[in-house]
Structures are given as C-alpha cells and as structure tokens.
Amino acid sequence: MQNFFLCVATCIFCVAFSSQKGHAEISLEILSGNIAPERLDELIADNASDPAVSFDLLEQKAKMSAPAQAAELNVVRAALAERYPDLIQSDVVGIRIEAAEFYMKADLLEQALGQLYLAFDRLQDSSANHELMEAVLKNIASLEEKAGREEKARQLRGMIDALPATLDKPPASRSNDPGYAKIEVFYATDRARTGRSFPSRFYGHERADFLDYGVLNVTLPRTHVSGSIITPSIWKLEFSEDPTKHTMLQSVTPLDQKVFYSMAQQSLSDRGASDAFVFVHGYNVSFDTAAKRTAQIAYDMNFAGLPILYSWPSRGATTGYVPDSAVVRLSGRKLTHFLEDFAAKSGAKTVHLIGHSMGNRALTDALELLALRRAPVEVPIFDQVIFAAPDVDQGLFAAVVPTIKPIAKRLTLYASDQDLALRASQKLHGNAPRAGQAGEASLSHSEIDTIDMSGLGDDVLAHSYVANDESAMLDIATLFWRNADPSDRCGLNRHAEKLRVWLFVGAECANLTALSLVSTLRNEGAETRNQVRSVVRRDFQDARQTRAIEPLLLNLVSE
C-alpha cells in the first residue's frame, strides 16, 4: 500500500513539473480569444491525467456553453474538486450553486434542486455559519414552492430558525475552546465582486476600477500544523469542510475606506499592538486561498498586530499564467497608493511587507513608484520588506533595488535552486533567470540580503517554502522582532564567494518552541538580554530546552 501511494505522489509530481510550460501555452490559446470549443475538447482530453488543468479547462468550456451543458460541466468540476482537494483548492459549495443557477436558466428545476441540496448537505456537515446555510435554504424553499411542493417549502423555511449559529460566537478562549481559532484579517483588493454572498466566491478574477476594502475571518483548527492549509482529504474519508479539522474562510465584510482605517486603528488599540504586515500573494491564487494563507502566516507567528491581505485579480487557475502576468502590473499601480495610505492612516507604527512569487511584480512596481514619488526618502516608510520566491526578471529586480532601498529598514530576498515553478518561468521568459532562483544564479547585491533556501520545499513545486516551513517562519518572525542582520540569525551561513548571500540550514532552526518564543518576545517588546532570559525561564522549566534556545535568542539583543 505504501508503494501505491508513493507511485501516486510521484505521478502527480511528474505531471505538475512537466506541464508547467503546457499550462502557459494553454493560457496563450485561451487569452487569444480565438480558441474554438473543439480545441478546448482536445485540450481537456489531452490533460485528463492532470485534475487541476482539467478543472480549469472545464471552467473555460462552461463559459462557452449553453446553460444546460454549462451546468453539467460545473457538476464535473465540483466532483473533481471533491476528489482532489489538495490539487484543487476550490469552493465546492459555490460551484454547485453555480451549476444550480445554470440549470435554472435551462428550466431544469429538479436538477437545480439536486445541486442545492448537495450544497446544503456540505454546509451542514461543515458546521458553516448561519448566514450561508440560511441563504441556501431560502433558495431551496423557493424552488420547492415553484415546483408546487408548498408543504416541503414551508418545512424548509421552518428549519431556518433552528439553524445552529456555530461561528457567530466570539473568538475562542482557553476556557471555552470550540476546537478552532478565529483569525481576523483586514484586506484591500482590486478584484471585482461576483455578486455572490458566499465568502469563498465573494470576489472573482475580474478587474475592478477601484479598490475594495474590508475585513474577513478565517478559522484554523487547533490541530493546525505550522505551515499548512488543511483541506478535506478523500484519503481520510473527509467529504466536507469542518472548522475543527480544516482551514476555512468564514466571512467577508466589505467596508468603506474611512471605516476600514478607523477599524484598523481600533483593532490595533484593542490588541495592544502597533505593527502590521501586508501580504501580496502570487500566481494561481484565488481570494479564498490568499485569505487562508494570510491567516496561516499570522497564526503561525502568533502575530499580535494586524495581518493585511492585498489581493490582486489572479485567475486562481493553473492555465492563467499569461492573464495573471498581464494584470499583476496594473495592480502594482493600485498597490502603491494603498501602501502609502496604509502607512499614513492605519495607526500602525511599524509596517512589514511580504510578497510571494508573481505578487512581487506588483510589490516591486509599487515600491519603486512610491520611492520615486517620495524621493528623497530620509526616513524608511516600512520596516521589513520580504521578497519570497519572486517571479521577477533578475536583472530588472537588481536594477530596482537601489531605488526602493531607502523606503525600508531591510530588504530580504528568499530564493531557491529547487524551485521548479521558477525554472519553468525562466524557460518561458527566454531563459532569463528569475530573482527567486538561487545556486549559481543567486542574486548578490550590496543593498539586499539574499537567503538561499534551497534545502527547503516540501510542496510539489518547492515554491511555497517560506510559508510552509516553521524554520523559515522563525527567520521572518526574527526579522519582525529585531531587524537582525543575517549573521546574527539562526541557521544562516555566509556564502563563501558571494556578497550578501547566506545559505539557510533549516534543520538548525526547525524548532516550534523557538518560533513561539520569538513571537512572545516580539509581542512583549523584549529589548535586552535580561528581558529575554526572564521570558525564556518564565515560560520553560526544562533546563535542557532552555540551554538550547537561550543562546539563539540572546545573540539577537544587546545588554
């Protein structure tokens, strides 16, 4: 049985690696606007062994189909998402509701009801919040009434008052823990609203003319493992989401810009904090997934300040590389104004920035524009700026660094020579190295710290190593706490030949206790060695454990 699972994993890895260039070529065909339905059928057949690509191609096919066929295609997409949750992180409930809408347009009432009942069953099994379940029940009741089953409709409406309001409770406490933690994330996005009320479908991939602001809530199970976003797994016989087992986006609340900043100031005051970080996600990321990742980073670092998501209109599809490449630069123009406003209006005294993958194209553009607009910059606007696995031309990135350096206390580049996604991107860009590639290609620049993370990367493409590994999270938490030079941080060895390049030895720092301690020290404002010793010895009675951790932390502070 173990050999069987090994073969499955190997096949998935091979498909994912070999199909990266194919994904971009498919994207080009779809973007051209001239792709025929027959060609889509060929692509669907050719990519039948890749569930993620099939899922995206079926969505394109649905957009070109009559309502009845579009409904059937969405039913297949829902089945794929249920069957391969690790490869396709999509909202099955939303897809089934979309299928129901298409069935209604085709006057196929019973089929529409079937999809809505499946959606409700999934929500009911997941202990979803009252609002979501109520909306689906109301739709089911209306259709039952339309079908002439008035008694059934009456019974369904009676169920609404009895719905459990599980997630309407205040955040969990140690004395009253429902099995999950609730993380509040503020957000700004230039995605257009879809018109749907379900959180994971609230924003799509279309562009909006103006920024939307708001607050969202994500729940993480108390069994959460650092670095993970947990979705239902068919191997564990899990067919629906459960907040005590899975990472879930529970609510999305848009806000007026003035209210957004007022609430941000109040939230910082309530938390007794003065810092925030802004996360800019990468290619092939939906709003739902970006929200979960932001919450996961904040939770893993026990971040006391405000976690902020900036979400640009990525298609959230493996076939969307070319469209994502086009839209991300426009988002950089909008991001620059958001960052400037946030630094001035949020009440946060310290603001950190984290960009991942293609999101670094928006971030570098935004910072360059802001630096030029504010030049000369005498006092840094931001504290730590972290470029994680940037899918940015290395030559362009190096040229931009001197311009943006004055607006941040420290610039850090995380790179890897094991990053298969960036290898594919390099080929797509005429073999030009990407800034996030390491090894012989490592960027060596006097004004940025390059950290070679090639030893990390447990995800299929070794591309999300920063958020997926607790030792990498420890390095970020250390930066947030002390703005420490790489020579003073855990597990970093200076490169023998390249200036400002360090090799990361993650095994030396794979210590969740250290991550927890650094978070506590940051949150409590520890500044001296005596304060560090006091916290360590207060929180840990094990002398052996204290001896192992204390030197690592004392190295970061002065007497």
Side-chain angles (χ1 to χ4, degrees):
M1 185 63 74
Q2 286 181 333
N3 289 338
F4 169 75
F5 284 114
L6 180 61
C7 289
V8 171
T10 303
C11 289
I12 290 173
F13 176 85
C14 292
V15 168
F17 176 57
S18 65
S19 63
Q20 287 300 302
K21 190 169 188 295
H23 293 174
E25 290 171 345
I26 293 168
S27 246
L28 281 169
E29 287 195 67
I30 293 171
L31 188 65
S32 70
N34 297 319
I35 189 166
E38 295 78 11
R39 175 57 180 152
L40 262 179
D41 290 338
E42 290 177 16
L43 291 171
I44 291 168
D46 291 344
N47 289 275
S49 62
D50 190 327
V53 175
S54 296
F55 179 85
D56 295 333
L57 291 172
L58 288 169
E59 181 180 23
Q60 295 299 322
K61 177 76 172 176
K63 291 177 181 177
M64 303 169 65
S65 302
Q69 186 180 21
E72 297 294 342
L73 290 167
N74 274 292
V75 171
V76 175
R77 291 179 69 235
L80 279 172
E82 288 178 330
R83 179 66 179 81
Y84 301 100
D86 294 331
L87 292 176
I88 306 170
Q89 294 188 9
S90 190
D91 171 32
V92 176
V93 169
I95 298 171
R96 292 208 179 277
I97 290 171
E98 193 169 347
E101 290 171 352
F102 279 121
Y103 276 132
M104 285 302 299
K105 289 179 182 177
D107 293 324
L108 297 170
L109 179 61
E110 297 302 330
Q111 289 90 331
L113 271 169
Q115 292 303 305
L116 288 177
Y117 274 117
L118 286 172
F120 179 72
D121 287 346
R122 189 177 180 91
L123 287 172
Q124 198 170 31
D125 289 344
S126 71
S127 301
N129 64 42
H130 184 284
E131 190 175 290
L132 293 180
M133 298 172 75
E134 180 179 348
V136 174
L137 268 182
K138 284 181 177 178
N139 286 332
I140 294 173
S142 295
L143 293 188
E144 289 286 11
E145 191 171 54
K146 188 173 182 179
R149 296 185 282 268
E150 294 183 4
E151 177 59 23
K152 182 67 173 176
R154 187 188 64 77
Q155 292 173 356
L156 288 165
R157 291 191 175 101
M159 289 173 59
I160 293 174
D161 294 334
L163 285 175
T166 307
L167 297 182
D168 294 337
K169 298 176 181 177
S173 66
R174 291 183 183 274
S175 59
N176 182 25
D177 190 335
Y180 53 82
K182 191 174 184 180
I183 308 298
E184 181 181 67
V185 175
F186 284 68
Y187 73 85
T189 183
D190 56 329
R191 294 177 184 264
R193 300 185 195 183
T194 63
R196 293 187 169 90
S197 60
F198 296 96
S200 59
R201 309 283 285 187
F202 198 90
Y203 292 103
H205 63 262
E206 299 296 334
R207 306 180 190 184
D209 293 331
F210 304 99
L211 287 183
D212 237 7
Y213 300 83
V215 176
L216 59 88
N217 283 284
V218 172
T219 54
L220 292 93
R222 292 297 181 187
T223 55
H224 168 80
V225 176
S226 180
S228 66
I229 292 178
I230 308 170
T231 55
S233 169
I234 194 166
W235 306 117
K236 298 178 183 177
L237 301 179
E238 296 172 341
F239 301 98
S240 60
E241 292 180 311
D242 180 338
T244 65
K245 297 178 181 178
H246 309 121
T247 310
M248 297 175 63
L249 173 59
Q250 298 290 356
S251 67
V252 176
T253 307
L255 300 171
D256 175 81
Q257 184 182 11
K258 289 183 179 179
V259 176
F260 173 86
Y261 285 116
S262 175
M263 285 187 63
Q265 293 171 17
Q266 185 60 52
S267 184
L268 280 169
S269 176
D270 292 344
R271 296 164 187 245
S274 61
D275 56 344
F277 75 80
V278 179
F279 176 67
V280 185
H281 62 78
Y283 145 72
N284 184 21
V285 176
S286 65
F287 183 84
D288 173 71
T289 301
K292 292 174 181 176
R293 180 62 79 185
T294 309
Q296 172 248 309
I297 292 171
Y299 184 81
D300 285 352
M301 287 200 298
N302 190 26
F303 189 72
L306 286 186
I308 314 295
L309 165 65
Y310 185 89
S311 184
W312 52 279
S314 166
R315 286 180 174 254
T318 53
T319 55
Y321 189 89
V322 173
D324 279 8
S325 296
V327 74
V328 71
R329 302 297 295 273
L330 176 60
S331 292
R333 271 66 186 160
K334 297 176 181 177
L335 176 59
T336 189
H337 295 295
F338 171 71
L339 293 178
E340 187 171 33
D341 284 348
F342 187 84
K345 300 176 182 179
S346 66
K349 295 179 181 178
T350 304
V351 179
H352 312 289
L353 309 177
I354 305 173
H356 180 243
S357 185
M358 192 183 285
N360 283 293
R361 298 187 196 180
L363 183 58
T364 51
D365 282 359
L367 294 177
E368 181 183 29
L369 289 169
L370 181 54
L372 291 171
R373 194 161 61 245
R374 298 282 289 267
V377 179
E378 297 180 358
V379 179
I381 302 168
F382 306 107
D383 194 283
Q384 303 301 312
V385 177
I386 293 167
F387 304 99
D391 185 4
V392 181
D393 181 272
Q394 190 178 99
L396 174 63
F397 187 84
V400 169
V401 164
T403 304
I404 64 178
K405 178 61 181 76
I407 66 175
K409 283 187 178 179
R410 185 181 298 276
L411 305 180
T412 301
L413 165 64
Y414 289 114
S416 172
D417 67 0
Q418 300 299 309
D419 192 325
L420 304 186
L422 291 188
R423 286 188 202 172
S425 178
Q426 179 183 6
K427 292 179 182 178
L428 291 170
H429 289 88
N431 214 34
R434 315 312 288 163
Q437 291 179 288
E440 290 300 316
S442 287
L443 175 67
S444 177
H445 196 292
S446 61
E447 301 203 68
I448 189 168
D449 301 328
T450 296
I451 313 300
D452 186 337
M453 311 288 279
S454 300
L456 303 183
D458 290 334
D459 58 296
V460 173
L461 297 179
H463 188 54
S464 298
Y465 50 82
V466 171
N468 283 356
D469 189 276
E470 63 267 16
S471 56
M473 294 299 293
L474 172 62
D475 197 53
I476 294 175
T478 303
L479 280 169
F480 282 12
W481 174 38
R482 297 298 299 163
N483 182 32
D485 188 82
S487 58
D488 292 328
R489 305 202 308 263
C490 178
L492 296 181
N493 299 327
R494 190 182 292 274
H495 196 285
E497 300 173 358
K498 294 194 173 188
L499 176 71
R500 303 303 296 177
V501 176
W502 281 263
L503 305 177
F504 187 73
V505 185
E508 295 180 11
C509 310
N511 190 320
L512 287 175
T513 301
L515 177 56
S516 173
L517 260 177
V518 166
S519 300
T520 300
L521 292 165
R522 184 191 68 241
N523 293 342
E524 295 189 10
E527 298 285 343
T528 68
R529 291 193 171 199
N530 283 337
Q531 289 172 329
V532 170
R533 287 192 189 97
S534 176
V535 171
V536 172
R537 295 174 187 184
R538 178 196 71 195
D539 290 355
F540 295 92
Q541 306 302 317
D542 188 318
R544 241 175 48 184
Q545 192 177 48
T546 300
R547 284 196 299 271
I549 294 172
E550 202 171 64
L552 182 158
L553 302 174
L554 291 175
N555 196 44
L556 299 172
V557 294
S558 57
E559 286 294 352

